[in-house]
Amino acid sequence: MEDFIRELLIKEAIMARKNSYCPYSGYAVGACVQTADGRNFSGCNMENASYGLTICAERIAIGKAISEGAGRIVAIAIAGGKKDADVLDEAFPCGACRQVLREFGSDDMQIIVAKSETEYRIFTLGELYPESFGPDHLS
Ligand SMILES: [Zn+2]
């Protein structure tokens, strides 16, 4: 994946972060997935007064992609930090999101953990979620 495509994913994740609904944690996250057919889908975290119903930005973005007929996910950019922070954290995907990413991608999926459009680290799903259980185990 070329740098400018990666930076576009990050930009969309940062834009999605602005819509974060996080009145309880104050931690705003945006994510943007790229699908194998070249489309991008972004999402933000969505908290709930019944805390367990909170949905992460990654799973919102994945759900949007799948509901629009996208097949496989090849990359995801994640941007997170305190709601009003000027400087973002490195917001890694939680365990639940790693499992959901596993459902729609392979070990070489790129996971871009971004503090800004130019400051980020790239991991593969296999690095962040090794020896995982997935659809291939049930086929
Ligand atoms: Zn998550």
Side-chain angles (χ1 to χ4, degrees), residues 67-125:
S67 67
E68 293 298 322
R72 305 293 288 169
I73 291 170
V74 296
I76 182 168
I78 306 163
K82 295 302 281 182
K83 182 81 178 166
D84 299 320
D86 294 326
V87 179
L88 300 181
D89 296 337
E90 285 190 318
F92 284 82
C94 76
C97 288
R98 293 178 197 205
Q99 181 65 46
V100 174
L101 286 166
R102 175 73 171 79
E103 186 73 22
F104 301 108
S106 57
D107 277 348
D108 63 357
M109 177 195 299
Q110 287 191 23
I111 298 178
I112 304 153
V113 180
K115 294 174 80 171
S116 73
E117 283 174 49
T118 54
E119 190 179 358
Y120 54 83
R121 291 200 289 161
I122 306 163
F123 303 87
T124 64
L125 182 60

Side-chain angles (χ1 to χ4, degrees), residues 21 23-25 46-56:
Y21 178 74
Y24 308 109
S25 73
M46 182 178 75
E47 295 183 345
N48 192 283
S50 177
Y51 292 174
L53 298 180
T54 291
I55 306 174
C56 300

